[in-house]
Amino acid sequence: MTLKLFNTLGRKKQAFKPIKDKFVGLYTCGPTVYWYAHIGNLRSYVFADILKRILIYNGYKVKQVMNITDVGHLTSDADTGEDKMEKAATREHKSAWEVAKFYEKKFFEDTARLNIINPDIICRATDHIKEQIDLIKTLEKKQYTYIAADGVYFDTSKLKNYGTLAKLDIKGLKAGARIEIAEGKKNVTDFALWKFSPEGKKRDMEWDSPWGKGFPGWHIECSAMSMKYLGEHFDIHTGGIDHVPIHHTNEIAQSEAATGKKFVNYWLHGAFLQLKEGRMGKSEGNIILIDNLEQEGFDPLAYRYLVLTAHYRSSLVFSKEGLVSAQTALNRLREFVKRLRIVRGDVSNKSFSKLIIKIKGKFAKVIDDDLNLPRALAVIAEFEHETNRLLDKNKIGMLQAKQAMGLILDFDRVLGLNLAEVKEEKLPTELMKLIKEREQARKTKDWARSDEIRAELKAKGIVLEDRPDGTTGWKMVN
Ligand code: AMP
Ligand code: ZN
């Protein structure tokens, strides 16, 4: 089976070929830590997590690097406006450093609740100022830069293929330039590499540089840190779809200008989570957090499940009804796991192995087809349905239940729903004793005692599941 990924660069599904045999260098654009990550932001990180898990499932060793933007991201992506960090510091009466620390911690608490595997390397922009300055110096030496009133800029007109990723219509952009342009910027698409600190104002975050006191532009951090940890040419870069026209376009421009090499082979972008009313955004003031969902009684993993129900390249409209269905589906899967755990009896069923192989093949095929998780969930539902049917008819026993369990846990390496943690519910010892006593009574054909115990347990809300070869398990009923 070949893993195929949709590459934004070229807009095609392509067979994935790593640069180095069985090793994948993966860079994920991380959060700007000036505010809580909302469930839309988190959708992007679930997508990157699924990609990473599928690569691992395919036998690759993955090195994932994620940046933390803790300086330089301005309120407008076009290098104008305030630094989001400094603005938040004013709002919260804290320093920009304190703001960054607080929201970074919160971000990783949220990703942990969504069972997102931590990146191998987490790197902060503020910890890599030297690397960013060095990269700008290289660009300066190669004459890709110029100095404007408010900073050092990258001259995009010097690159023949600027904007290929986004299929930018450069001429059209120039003609219709309506976006705010910083003073002295030569081309609309030029972007800041280094911004000067405003005169007469002391910023919380500023550094000396060969061009004057200031701070790095937003894009340069991702080029400097990805190349530091993954090399000048690496395999996969991910981010939200909004990063295509500016942030990733500029990362490619400055990295390839500096090294003269291709920067990244595969660019993958996650579509947005929307609200029925439209965009969910910090500026729209309509953000939803994982905390909010939890307060309403949802399990954070139900949100993860909801994300899996939509393909990462399709936008997903968030609704409470959708989340309720996701929670129900997740609960059903957990019940299935619990049921598998308590199956006893040694019915033999050779054909079940064939079903396992068939389902495993189907699952591998759909996840390898550009991470088609909605189809993967359908494959699992098919397996669950068939296995439950066989269990109901006593056509499979403990051995097959174990096989089924192994398969579900194997799939969970990709789903990340923590299904291994679903525990068999433990009954108090005296009730377990009663169940055992009843099993014994059935063996000795003492039906009167057996029925008596069944009734006693039923009165306590426990229903026994009997099969000809013995009591197979029990269920709590309300
Ligand atoms: P930020 O913290 O603003 O830098 O954004 C973090 C990530 O979330 C970026 O990769 C964005 O592309 C992504 N993002 C922002 N809004 C949404 C949304 N509504 N749905 C999905 N991803 C989003
Ligand atoms: Zn980035």
Side-chain angles (χ1 to χ4, degrees), residues 40-41 47 58 69 78 103 118 181 187 207-208 214 243 262 283 291 293-294 301 304 350 401 417 437 447 466 473:
N41 299 131
F47 143 62
N58 273 276
T69 300
Y103 290 111
N118 261 352
I181 299 185
N187 309 290
W207 296 264
D208 288 325
H243 284 344
K262 184 168 185 173
S283 41
D291 286 359
L293 303 182
E294 251 191 343
L301 289 179
R304 182 177 174 105
K350 295 230 170 67
L417 294 170
E437 190 190 330
W447 307 120
D466 284 340

Side-chain angles (χ1 to χ4, degrees), residues 29-32 34 38 40-41 43-45 73 84 239-243 271-273 280 282:
C29 273
T32 310
Y34 70 109
H38 55 65
N41 299 131
R43 182 187 182 198
S44 282
Y45 299 108
H73 195 165
K84 291 183 180 190
I241 195 78
D242 56 324
H243 284 344
F272 266 33
L273 179 86
M280 170 164 55
K282 295 168 191 172

Side-chain angles (χ1 to χ4, degrees), residues 198-335:
E199 246 170 73
K201 187 172 176 247
K202 170 109 186 64
R203 283 173 49 96
D204 281 344
M205 293 174 162
E206 55 186 5
W207 296 264
D208 288 325
S209 83
W211 313 280
K213 200 174 268 280
F215 57 100
W218 170 36
H219 321 297
I220 197 79
E221 67 174 88
C222 285
S223 290
M225 296 193 283
S226 64
M227 292 200 282
K228 170 169 178 170
Y229 295 108
L230 296 170
E232 290 176 347
H233 176 213
F234 61 92
D235 298 294
I236 309 180
H237 196 309
T238 69
I241 195 78
D242 56 324
H243 284 344
V244 177
I246 299 181
H247 184 50
H248 289 169
T249 290
N250 294 343
E251 269 190 53
I252 294 176
Q254 65 203 0
S255 306
E256 298 192 350
T259 66
K261 283 186 207 161
K262 184 168 185 173
F263 178 40
V264 171
N265 283 351
Y266 302 86
W267 288 86
L268 268 66
H269 292 99
F272 266 33
L273 179 86
Q274 315 269 11
L275 293 177
K276 279 194 201 114
E277 315 77 79
R279 218 183 95 91
M280 170 164 55
K282 295 168 191 172
S283 41
E284 279 78 359
N286 56 1
I287 64 170
I288 302 171
L289 310 179
I290 289 292
D291 286 359
N292 301 134
L293 303 182
E294 251 191 343
Q295 279 149 13
E296 289 182 40
F298 293 102
D299 182 335
L301 289 179
Y303 177 66
R304 182 177 174 105
Y305 192 101
L306 178 69
V307 169
L308 305 186
T309 62
H311 190 267
Y312 77 92
R313 284 193 289 118
S314 311
S315 47
L316 168 61
V317 179
F318 178 81
S319 68
K320 284 287 154 63
E321 303 82 68
L323 189 59
V324 169
S325 307
Q327 180 79 67
T328 308
L330 175 62
N331 292 348
R332 208 189 54 217
L333 200 52
R334 287 172 170 166
E335 284 308 314

Side-chain angles (χ1 to χ4, degrees), residues 313-370:
R313 284 193 289 118
S314 311
S315 47
L316 168 61
V317 179
F318 178 81
S319 68
K320 284 287 154 63
E321 303 82 68
L323 189 59
V324 169
S325 307
Q327 180 79 67
T328 308
L330 175 62
N331 292 348
R332 208 189 54 217
L333 200 52
R334 287 172 170 166
E335 284 308 314
F336 179 55
V337 168
K338 276 188 205 162
R339 183 173 192 193
L340 292 177
R341 282 199 200 282
I342 60 170
V343 174
R344 301 285 177 270
D346 52 5
V347 183
S348 127
N349 187 333
K350 295 230 170 67
S351 63
F352 195 70
S353 297
K354 279 196 205 132
L355 177 70
I356 297 262
I357 293 168
K358 186 179 105 186
I359 294 289
K360 195 168 161 66
K362 274 191 178 182
F363 181 84
K365 189 164 166 215
V366 295
I367 60 166
D368 281 358
D369 182 15
D370 194 30

Side-chain angles (χ1 to χ4, degrees), residues 9-26:
L9 192 63
R11 305 281 195 283
K12 263 202 312 263
K13 249 192 233 176
Q14 294 174 338
F16 174 67
K17 284 199 196 77
I19 297 169
K20 254 198 266 158
D21 195 35
K22 286 290 166 193
F23 172 84
V24 182
L26 167 65

